[in-house]
Amino acid sequence: MLKIFFQNPLYSPQFSNFSVALIRISVGLFFLTTGYNKLFVEKNRQIMLDTIIHAGIPFPEFMAVFVSLCEFVLGLMLIIGLFTQLSCLILIFICFIAFITVGIYTIPSGLDLITWTSWFFYIHDLLYIFILTFILSKKPDPLTLDHLLFKKYM
């Protein structure tokens, strides 16, 4: 009876590869679209610049464009699965900086521990760090250019 819970098709390598590809492509689409909006939509470009200025990050005009461009390009790289680990590492760094300079300050003060913890894990930068770390820990799935181009090194 318990066999159905522990020996089923959901544990197959094919389903695992599909799941990782789905997560990688979805996260890539998120960064591609947010990077695009910060680069090419004037209102969002200004919001990004204001956020970086408010966070006290040096060279705000340059960094706003640079970070947005990184999100756009690295999101595309995740979608196609090219240099996936490098893309994840850089995006984790971007998310971490966003988390410590902006995200953590969205938590209201005076909360009890359980409510504070709930707010803490609700910060999207932290969740993307976790998801990117998961992708980083996986070998390239068969639906990536990494797998196609660098097969002999795996």
Side-chain angles (χ1 to χ4, degrees):
M1 172 69 176
L2 290 177
K3 185 177 181 179
I4 192 166
F5 293 111
F6 299 104
Q7 295 178 1
N8 64 63
L10 298 178
Y11 290 123
S12 71
Q14 294 83 6
F15 187 76
S16 179
N17 286 336
F18 170 76
S19 299
V20 172
L22 183 64
I23 293 166
R24 177 181 48 77
I25 292 167
S26 298
V27 172
L29 280 169
F30 167 77
F31 282 106
L32 176 81
T33 57
T34 57
Y36 175 88
N37 281 325
K38 293 172 190 175
L39 285 170
F40 302 112
V41 177
E42 180 60 39
K43 179 181 173 187
N44 293 335
R45 189 175 18 205
Q46 188 59 48
I47 291 170
M48 178 65 168
L49 179 60
D50 293 344
T51 301
I52 287 183
I53 291 170
H54 185 262
I57 295 172
F59 313 109
E61 293 84 8
F62 171 77
M63 291 306 291
V65 174
F66 179 73
V67 171
S68 301
L69 187 61
C70 283
E71 288 181 4
F72 180 76
V73 170
L74 297 173
L76 178 62
M77 303 272 276
L78 281 180
I79 292 168
I80 64 174
L82 183 61
F83 302 115
T84 304
Q85 286 192 322
L86 179 62
S87 298
C88 284
L89 285 171
I90 296 169
L91 288 169
I92 287 169
F93 179 75
I94 290 170
C95 289
F96 179 74
I97 297 301
F99 178 75
I100 63 172
T101 58
V102 178
I104 198 76
Y105 297 106
T106 63
I107 301 175
S109 58
L111 301 175
D112 61 83
L113 181 61
I114 297 294
T115 308
W116 187 92
T117 304
S118 174
W119 275 83
F120 179 79
F121 285 107
Y122 191 71
I123 298 171
H124 72 276
D125 298 311
L126 182 63
L127 296 177
Y128 278 108
I129 290 170
F130 293 157
I131 294 167
L132 288 163
T133 302
F134 172 76
I135 297 168
L136 179 68
S137 72
K138 297 295 182 181
K139 281 190 167 187
D141 60 86
L143 300 174
T144 63
L145 285 176
D146 287 338
H147 184 80
L148 180 69
L149 298 173
F150 307 112
K151 192 181 241 182
K152 70 178 182 178
Y153 299 107
M154 293 182 217

